[in-house]
Amino acid sequence: MILHELISYDVLRLIWWALLGVLLIGFALTDGFDLGTGTLLPFVAHSDVERRVVINTIGPVWEGNQVWLILGGGAIFAAWPQLYAVSFSGFYLAMFAILVALILRPVAFKFRSKREEPAWRSRWDWALFVGGFVPALIFGVAMGNVLQGVPFRIEDDMQIFYDGSFFGLLNPYALLAGLVSVAMLVMHGAAWLQLKTSGTVAERARRFGIVAALLTTVLYAVAGVLLAYFVTGYAITGSIDTSGASNPLLKNAVPQGGAWFANYATHPALWVVPALGLAGPVIAALCLAMRRPLAALLAGGVGIAGIVASVGVSMFPFILPSSVNPSASLTVWDSSSSHLTLFIMLVSTVIFMPIILAYTSWVFSVLRGKVDPEAIQDGKGHAY
């Protein structure tokens, strides 16, 4: 038997669908508090020392956290090439906006303290705000559009055409999903700041975090109700070969109201996923109110994982539905790379993922503790 045939094609596809979700959740949990902290920067820190305190909570770790975004993009490219082709071309301007915002962040870190003029530093502080707020918003907007279906079609020769526009992505439901994303990452960033700072900055972050956590639950609940009653989902009609060729045109699919809740009806245990998305932020708000930042960070992380995972669980087996031609929608079973490619990638993941996790844990262990304002004023011990 050939080695890669030890794991069947359909099982490998399912594993990589789950791993893609893990990578997206990993990005939301790690780089998420960086984005939330950047969004909060102008509001929780007023003096230059306070802003430097906030910046130094994420300055040493943001690069490592962003590895999860790179891993997610690489996994999409290698494991789901058609998903990569549609999303990165159809969402080109949105992706460009995200990249510009993410590029602003390291530039702001490096240049902010090169000059002492308040106006100079203020401009870079607002650049850090943009670098946090814009990606948080657009990632959520993208998820909102995925749930509604994306206007792409696949011709018989497998050419992919995107029929939408950038401003078409900014529809009401997608913007609501964007607000969910912003609120949950601000909640996460606020918990991080309460954990890593003290005094006035921590107190301001606590207040913003409580509001953001409660907003996360409310907005997520509203988005769920609208998804159930007003957003059209998609369903596969007939059978589909789970180990067949990666050709989305070999199946039939149709729009269907309430389709995104069919998996919950079939498997009621799945309700635990959105339940975590609702309960986690509420518990985080309570922990913030009680000044338990580590518990708030963990509870908020559970809520974020539930919210992100609920998108995949609701849509399964769809990965990217087409609103133009539902039968061309990309699913777990017909848009992956080859059996051998998925197996080689899985072996690589089994080897390198524990190394990444171990290194990340070590870094956070070394950098534990609060950022000291006195050390910043003395110019010792902090880089930014």
Side-chain angles (χ1 to χ4, degrees):
M1 178 183 291
I2 300 175
L3 185 61
H4 73 272
E5 292 182 353
L6 292 173
I7 306 177
S8 64
Y9 199 11
D10 57 336
V11 171
L12 277 173
R13 284 169 160 168
L14 190 60
I15 289 173
W16 272 103
W17 170 80
L19 283 175
L20 179 58
V22 169
L23 293 174
L24 293 177
I25 291 172
F27 170 70
L29 293 180
T30 54
D31 206 39
F33 67 72
D34 293 344
L35 299 178
T37 298
T39 303
L40 284 169
L41 174 62
F43 310 105
V44 300
H46 296 166
S47 68
D48 183 64
V49 171
E50 289 178 347
R51 293 190 175 188
R52 290 185 64 194
V53 166
V54 171
I55 292 169
N56 276 281
T57 65
I58 59 174
V61 298
W62 74 269
E63 287 179 292
N65 293 339
Q66 201 158 283
V67 165
W68 293 93
L69 177 63
I70 298 170
L71 289 174
I76 293 174
F77 173 78
W80 310 102
Q82 291 171 321
L83 173 62
Y84 184 90
V86 175
S87 58
F88 280 75
S89 58
F91 296 163
Y92 181 82
L93 290 178
M95 294 292 183
F96 182 79
I98 290 174
L99 289 176
V100 169
L102 292 178
I103 289 170
L104 276 177
R105 181 167 58 176
V107 174
F109 282 144
K110 298 300 182 183
F111 282 89
R112 183 190 184 277
S113 295
K114 295 296 184 182
R115 296 168 60 181
E116 296 184 0
E117 288 89 343
W120 170 269
R121 294 188 171 185
S122 178
R123 284 193 290 269
W124 288 117
D125 290 337
W126 282 104
L128 286 171
F129 166 79
V130 172
F133 177 80
V134 170
L137 178 67
I138 294 181
F139 282 131
V141 167
M143 288 297 100
N145 278 283
V146 168
L147 285 166
Q148 296 175 91
V150 177
F152 73 92
R153 52 192 168 85
I154 302 177
E155 299 296 332
D156 292 337
D157 59 0
M158 300 306 294
Q159 287 192 73
I160 299 172
F161 296 90
Y162 180 77
D163 295 334
S165 65
F166 173 76
F167 292 103
L169 300 175
L170 304 178
N171 56 77
Y173 187 81
L175 290 174
L176 173 61
L179 292 178
V180 173
S181 176
V182 170
M184 75 178 189
L185 296 187
V186 167
M187 167 194 70
H188 206 40
W192 173 257
L193 284 175
Q194 194 182 25
L195 179 67
K196 296 292 290 182
T197 65
S198 57
T200 305
V201 172
E203 184 62 22
R204 292 186 190 123
R206 184 182 73 88
R207 294 197 297 266
F208 277 107
I210 292 172
V211 173
L214 296 177
L215 273 176
T216 299
T217 297
V218 172
L219 292 173
Y220 179 57
V222 171
V225 171
L226 293 177
L227 188 66
Y229 295 103
F230 297 99
V231 176
T232 300
Y234 298 86
I236 295 174
T237 59
S239 62
I240 184 170
D241 185 358
T242 59
S243 297
S246 288
N247 184 347
L249 300 179
L250 297 179
K251 68 175 179 308
N252 292 316
V254 295
Q256 183 175 304
W260 292 152
F261 285 80
N263 287 335
Y264 299 107
T266 305
H267 306 285
L270 293 176
W271 280 109
V272 71
V273 178
L276 291 175
L278 291 170
V282 174
I283 297 172
L286 293 174
C287 293
L288 286 168
M290 293 185 294
R291 294 177 172 81
R292 301 281 299 276
L294 181 58
L297 191 69
L298 295 175
V302 170
I304 290 171
I307 290 171
V308 176
S310 67
V311 176
V313 169
S314 299
M315 293 176 57
F316 184 86
F318 287 88
I319 299 179
L320 190 65
S322 169
S323 59
V324 175
N325 179 12
S327 293
S329 299
L330 307 182
T331 75
V332 173
W333 313 123
D334 60 17
S335 59
S336 73
S337 291
S338 69
H339 191 172
L340 179 59
T341 299
L342 295 183
F343 180 79
I344 293 173
M345 288 176 59
L346 181 61
V347 172
S348 301
T349 301
V350 170
I351 294 172
F352 290 105
M353 184 65 75
I355 297 174
I356 294 171
L357 291 173
Y359 172 76
T360 301
S361 300
W362 177 76
V363 168
F364 279 104
S365 175
V366 170
L367 296 174
R368 66 186 179 276
K370 296 183 182 291
V371 176
D372 185 5
E374 293 182 0
I376 286 179
Q377 288 177 308
D378 294 340
K380 300 176 181 178
H382 296 289
Y384 302 101

